[in-house]
């Protein structure tokens, strides 16, 4: 407005986010564009998208888990998978994990 250049921010918006807990109980605490969560065993969670991404290479997923965990990941057009590990490098459920996805929807 007022002669300023405009930008399409649609590409900069998150296309999916999910804040979930796997330690104790498997719970989706808060999410957007998340159809469901799949429990794949200790530390292994798949965030299934309601609306798929254009391709597995067409998006970037940022993952954060509580302090003592490291992360491993796998991305697919229909989901973002995260595996959390403890300080001994054994797969272990995390009390808090968050995934945010930026990219192109199908």
């Amino acid at each position: 407005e007022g002669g300023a250049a405009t930008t399409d921010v649609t590409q900069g918006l998150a296309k999916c986010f999910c804040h979930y807990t796997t330690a104790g109980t498997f719970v989706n605490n808060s999410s957007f564009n998340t159809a469901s969560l799949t429990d794949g065993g200790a530390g292994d969670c798949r965030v299934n998208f309601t609306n798929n991404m254009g391709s597995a290479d067409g998006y970037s997923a940022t993952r954060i888990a509580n302090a003592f965990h490291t992360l491993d990941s796998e991305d697919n057009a229909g989901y973002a998978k995260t595996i959390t590990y403890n300080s001994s490098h054994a797969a272990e459920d995390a009390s808090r994990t968050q995934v945010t996805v930026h990219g192109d929807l199908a």
Side-chain angles (χ1 to χ4, degrees), residues 1-7:
E1 191 174 322
T6 59
T7 327

Side-chain angles (χ1 to χ4, degrees), residues 15 17 20 22 24 30 32 41 43 48 52 55 57-58 67 81 86 98-99:
K15 301 305 188 301
F17 77 82
Y20 61 90
T22 55
S30 178
F32 168 73
N48 301 299
N52 289 352
S55 72
D57 297 326
K81 179 178 176 178
N86 62 25
Q98 299 165 18
V99 176

Side-chain angles (χ1 to χ4, degrees), residues 57-84:
D57 297 326
Y59 71 93
S60 173
T62 304
R63 298 157 170 94
I64 301 171
N66 53 315
F68 68 91
H69 286 79
T70 57
L71 302 171
D72 190 9
S73 63
E74 172 189 324
D75 297 329
N76 181 287
Y79 64 82
K81 179 178 176 178
T82 302
I83 303 174
T84 54

